[in-house]
Structure formats: structure tokens, C-alpha cells
Amino acid sequence: MATAEHLKTLIKTHFNNDKERFTSLTLQVAAYEARQGHTALAHEIREIVDESKKTLVKVIPLHKDLEDLVLLSTPQERLKNLIANDPTIKRIKRIIHEFRQQGALKKHGLNNRRKLLLTGPPGTGKTMTASILACELHLPLLTVLMDKLITKFMGETSAKLRQIFNVIQEKQGVYLFDEIDAIGGERGRDNDVGEMRRVLNAFLQFIEQDESNSVIIAATNNVSLLDQALFRRFDDVLHYEKPSIEEAKLLIENRISNFKPKRFPLARCANHALSLSHAEITQACDDAIKDAILNEQKTISGALLQEMLDYKKDAYNNRK
């Protein structure tokens, strides 16, 4: 059976409501049981985890024209799971605090921050922030699939946007417009087309007129492409960066967890992680853990993790 240390940590994460950590530890228990030869038990544990994930995402039942356009999920991400710089964490905490105290603000004619623009490279925490806000505020997360909004309904996009903002008014939640530059590109560019200018104008109008109790988040990897008029429509703009050395150390330490040996070159591994995003570092850690499991090792070596981090860097460099 699982070790006493596994059980104690599982109990702690359960009562801390740390869903992601609990899931990670549960999979580690499954790996431990597999190493002990208890393959049937390990398989059952993994099936339980997989089944729990299926219930978290579904297509929201909207007007038939909007089917497959908005995804509804119930995130379990907590703010303590986000690795970011102190100013960003402080601003997210302020957004949460203002939302919880919106009644007190409205008594003085003030509104809480709820229209947010998140910018930064891919994999730096923008989507995770939307999940965290939904979890911390006990609201559903509704993700608008921008690619389908544009390609599937070209010529009708403004009408679909109006229907989405009607839903925002009717159903309180955290609404994420990811890759907003798909419609929010700067007006007047040489490659701009009339249809997209009309879509952007419609979006600007809808978000400015919105008086719902929902949180509206627009995220982009390409802030330089955005029309400047977008910025004035948001209550707050959060900029995300790739992790610093200290943030990379914390991210690695949290991710490899029970697979970390007593003596581990954390600083050296963090140096190898420079220029990688949070998501890429996480993937490298997971790859190292999987390698250890498949080779029946209880810990990962610094050399192995450095190899996985360098592999991620090579993959990035080859994309250029």
C-alpha cells in the first residue's frame, strides 16, 4: 500500500482543497503501487482520476447557433498554485477582494474590477489566472472559442458576439476570450478587412456597455497587435512574463515533489530553464517524472531534468 508519507500528504492536500496537487499525488501513489507489483490497484486509481476529469468540462447549452462555441468548466486551480511575480499576485488578490466586497463599493458608487486584459507569452499563466479567478470566486469558467467564432460564422460574428454578451448578462461567470487579437487587431492595418473592423467595433461597444456581474477576461500572446482602444475598455491590464530564476526554482520544486532526492541541483536546473515558459518547465518536469517511473526509479536526477529542459529549449529554437 501507499507509504505513510503519501497518505499524510494526500490528507493535507484534500483539506487544503488543492485539487491539482491532490491529483498529482494520487498519480504518484498509482506509480508507487505499480512499482510494488500491484498493477490492478494502480490501474484502478488511474481510472478514478481520469473519470473525475471528465466531469469538469462540458459544452454549455446555448442557442443552437452557439453550440460548440462556449465551453463551461469548473476549475480547481487555487491562487497559491500560480507562480508569478509579486506585483501580479497582488493585483489578482485585489481583483478577488474587490469582487467579494463589491456590495461595499457600490454603496459609494464604485464598481469592482471585473473587465481584465491579460497579456504575455504563451504558457505564462494567463489561462491559469482565469481558472484561478473562477475557482476563488466560486463561479463557472466559460471559454469562448475564438477560432470557431471567426472561421465558422464569418459574416455573422458580430451577431454571435451579441448573443454571447447576452449570456454574460444572464449567467454570472468568468468569461474568457482567449487570443483576443483574432478580432482585436489594430484598426487601419494594411491587411485589415472591413468585416474584422466591424467585429472589433462591436466587441468594444459590447464590453463598454456591459453592466453584468460577470468577470470578463480577454487574453493575448501578441499585445503589440491590439488596437489601443481595447485598453481603455478594461478595468485592469495584467502583463505576464517568463519565470525568473527564483520562480523557476519554485516551479520545479513544487512540480517534482516526492520525486526530488535529498540532494538535488535545483539552482542549476533553474538556470537550464531560462527562456522557457511556465508551461514548458512543467512539461519538462513531468517528462522527467515519467522517465523515472518507467525506469522504476523513486527519484529523478538533476541530469535527467536538465536534459528534459534542454530538449524543450531545442524544440523552441527549432520553431524559429
Side-chain angles (χ1 to χ4, degrees):
M1 295 295 291
T3 66
E5 196 61 35
H6 276 135
L7 293 175
K8 287 191 294 183
T9 310
L10 277 170
I11 292 169
K12 287 180 182 177
T13 55
H14 170 72
F15 285 109
N16 287 335
N17 196 25
D18 191 343
K19 175 72 174 180
E20 182 182 10
R21 179 83 171 124
F22 185 83
T23 301
S24 175
L25 285 168
T26 303
L27 290 174
Q28 289 179 30
V29 170
Y32 175 83
E33 296 297 341
R35 291 196 298 271
Q36 302 305 308
H38 307 150
T39 54
L41 175 58
H43 180 69
E44 289 178 9
I45 293 173
R46 293 192 187 99
E47 281 191 332
I48 292 171
V49 172
D50 291 341
E51 191 63 30
S52 70
K53 291 179 179 179
K54 293 179 183 178
T55 62
L56 293 179
V57 179
K58 63 179 181 180
V59 177
I60 183 171
L62 300 172
H63 187 279
K64 68 177 183 178
D65 289 344
L66 297 182
E67 288 179 357
D68 301 329
L69 187 59
V70 180
L71 293 181
L72 170 65
S73 60
T74 307
Q76 303 296 319
E77 301 279 10
R78 303 301 300 272
L79 182 56
K80 62 184 178 182
N81 300 134
L82 180 65
I83 306 296
N85 59 51
D86 290 341
T88 299
I89 297 294
K90 184 176 180 180
R91 293 171 79 173
I92 294 173
K93 286 181 177 178
R94 182 169 184 174
I95 292 166
I96 294 171
H97 184 62
E98 286 191 7
F99 185 92
R100 292 171 176 168
Q101 299 296 323
Q102 58 184 288
L105 294 176
K106 288 179 179 178
K107 288 180 180 179
H108 295 274
L110 300 170
N111 295 317
N112 60 295
R113 284 173 169 80
R114 63 177 190 82
K115 300 175 184 178
L116 314 171
L117 177 61
L118 312 184
T119 73
T124 51
K126 300 184 297 298
T127 303
M128 185 177 182
T129 296
S131 296
I132 288 168
L133 288 173
C135 179
E136 297 286 352
L137 300 178
H138 305 292
L139 294 173
L141 174 63
L142 299 102
T143 303
V144 180
L145 305 180
M146 300 300 292
D147 58 335
K148 293 188 177 181
L149 177 68
I150 301 300
T151 60
K152 188 174 181 179
F153 301 113
M154 195 64 176
E156 303 176 8
T157 306
S158 297
K160 304 307 173 186
L161 272 175
R162 179 182 295 279
Q163 292 184 45
I164 290 172
F165 274 88
N166 286 340
V167 174
I168 291 173
Q169 179 71 39
E170 297 166 3
K171 181 177 180 62
Q172 187 182 32
V174 174
Y175 287 81
L176 173 61
F177 292 82
D178 204 0
E179 298 184 6
I180 192 62
D181 44 281
I183 65 170
E186 185 179 352
R187 291 170 290 186
R189 285 179 177 266
D190 293 339
N191 60 349
D192 196 6
V193 295
E195 168 64 17
M196 296 314 299
R197 284 199 298 272
R198 287 191 289 274
V199 171
L200 174 57
N201 288 335
F203 182 80
L204 293 173
Q205 179 183 356
F206 294 147
I207 197 169
E208 187 171 26
Q209 294 176 349
D210 176 75
E211 296 182 352
S212 69
N213 292 318
S214 295
V215 176
I216 301 174
I217 299 175
T220 179
N221 301 330
N222 302 296
V223 65
S224 61
L225 297 180
L226 294 185
D227 191 287
Q228 291 301 303
L230 265 175
F231 291 86
R232 297 193 297 272
R233 267 63 175 194
F234 292 95
D235 303 322
D236 211 343
V237 180
L238 279 66
H239 300 285
Y240 291 75
E241 303 290 345
K242 292 182 178 180
S244 65
I245 287 287
E246 290 304 314
E247 290 168 356
K249 286 167 64 175
L250 184 58
L251 181 58
I252 291 170
E253 192 166 28
N254 288 349
R255 197 67 184 183
I256 63 177
S257 182
N258 290 348
F259 283 86
K260 177 188 171 187
K262 290 183 178 179
R263 300 187 63 180
F264 186 81
L266 188 58
R268 191 157 65 244
C269 288
N271 276 310
H272 278 257
L274 278 180
S275 80
L276 293 178
S277 69
H278 299 70
E280 289 168 326
I281 295 173
T282 297
Q283 290 167 2
C285 290
D286 289 349
D287 287 342
I289 291 172
K290 287 188 285 187
D291 190 275
I293 292 171
L294 294 175
N295 287 286
E296 299 184 348
Q297 300 293 320
K298 295 183 179 179
T299 62
I300 66 174
S301 67
L304 174 61
L305 180 55
Q306 290 168 42
E307 178 185 345
M308 297 301 177
L309 290 166
D310 289 341
Y311 178 81
K312 289 294 179 184
K313 279 189 177 180
D314 290 341
Y316 174 78
N317 291 331
N318 288 333
R319 292 200 303 266
K320 292 183 177 180

